Amino acid sequence: LHHIPCVLIAQECGQYSSLGQDLVAMCVNDVLCQGAAPLFFLDYFACGRLAVNVAGEFINGVAEACNIAGCSLVGGETAEMPGLYKDGDFDVAGFVVGAVERKHLLPRVSEIVAGDVVIGLPSSGLHSNGFSLVRRVMDLHGLSYNSPSPFSDKTLGEELLTPTKIYVKDVMPFIDKVRAIAHITGGGLVENIPRVLPSNVTVRLDASHWTLPPVLGWLAVAGGVGKKELLRTFNCGIGLVLIVPARYVTDVRSGIPNALVIGSVKERNGDEPQVVVKKFGELFEKPMLPHISSYVTQLSARKRVAVLISGSGTNLQALIDATAGNGSVAMGAHIVLVISNKPDVRGLKRAQKADIKTEVIKHTDYPSRLKFDEAIHECLVAHKVDIVCLAGFMRVLTGEFVRKWRGRMINIHPALLPLFKGTHAHKQALEAGVRVTGCSVHFVEEDIDNGAIIAQKAVDILQGDTEDSLSERVKLAEHEIYPQALKLLATGKIHLDENTNKIVWN
């Protein structure tokens, strides 16, 4: 029985036939690992309201895949559950029955010995695994499934929906020459191969003997995904692994298309890992190369950001989280400086924990607001700051300072501007009796809370709300939209027309 994780991608792309092959492949490749030939398959299609064209395309994909696998599609179930699924949403599952002669039942663990050879069969792509990580990287870079693929001439959706390869007809003629088969799915080579090994042996793989799919090179660079995470999340180019006695290697390689000798079985030394992958660094680096130059360009183009605070720095933390690691490339910004007008506030500790330079410039050390602002300006210039974010900075800035940073300084306010300007915004909203408030990110102007609005998010006012309870919910909205607004400015999606005081979308 199998469920597949790529339904959401198919829904967004409007392509459903590959789901059928993914579902069948996951089932029949698994029974193949028992040495069994699949006999018949049943599918399950659950939805809120049946869309005949969607279900039909999916079933056609299932039928074609069953033909590839050499098994019969004998039936299935379609369930409409409007209370559980929204219109347009659906899920699928599949079930297969296979048969195997007892003498061919796999894995034959007791027969696996040092000297056996590891043969790998190439995968066709991600094989329905690792999509949570892929979606995270896509979100980081603001990509959709309809975006052009960074590693081919297709869309990302088309690449990710490449059907899982079905190995049954290639492998079954040689099932009596195989001692074990591992289907490389979630967990990758390092977690799936040990399931078929006795405890006294280890498998040593030579990664120079196969090719890493281009998508993984892109993920490594764009998502900052390391070698260990790739190995334990993806198949890394090998969809099926066969453990074969050395005397049968020639027969198996000549009979199975694209079969590769990728390693061997060795005696295990103490508690060493049961799978050791050598030269993976070399395999890993080659598909990364096409993406590194653009990544370096994006790194150098990031805007240098300073955040001004006076307190605990929860919005600062949201900005730190959004720009951490490879997030800074997607955001087009990295925080290089945090300035507080008060010492020992928690916001400074947040910055220091993130290895961000901090400065304390106390307003009480200066004879006037202007002198204080001049000190801040000099500090910003010294650190070559491009953008200034105010995050709970409890000082009114002078007009001279604002003019110097106009179009490059943004603030967040806990209300839906132009309503409830100034302090005590939550109190104003509650006293006004409105049912909705929220937060706004805006450019800073000399008139307080009067700059062009970049982003807003509404928050319902609930019965019995107090200033404190409302404030806590609005803060959550602030933490969401402040990074979004910074990204729009830092990546050049918007700029301020200083003549009209309006935002221009580029």
Side-chain angles (χ1 to χ4, degrees), residues 20-21 24 28 38-39 41 59-73 166 168-169:
Q21 180 162 332
V24 173
V28 300
L39 298 180
F41 185 88
I59 296 299
N60 285 338
V62 171
E64 291 174 8
C66 285
N67 184 53
I68 295 171
C71 67
S72 299
L73 175 59
I166 295 172
V168 175
K169 288 187 176 179

Side-chain angles (χ1 to χ4, degrees), residues 158-226:
E158 288 170 338
E159 283 288 353
L160 297 176
L161 289 175
T162 300
T164 302
K165 186 171 177 57
I166 295 172
Y167 298 99
V168 175
K169 288 187 176 179
D170 289 339
V171 174
M172 280 306 300
F174 303 92
I175 206 71
D176 61 337
K177 294 179 170 60
V178 174
R179 286 177 171 161
I181 302 175
H183 187 196
I184 310 304
T185 56
L189 294 161
V190 295
E191 292 184 14
N192 284 285
I193 296 177
R195 297 173 183 173
V196 301
L197 298 178
S199 60
N200 64 328
V201 301
T202 187
V203 160
R204 294 180 187 171
L205 305 179
D206 185 340
S208 66
H209 291 179
W210 76 88
T211 303
L212 196 72
V215 61
L216 297 185
W218 170 71
L219 284 171
V221 175
V225 184

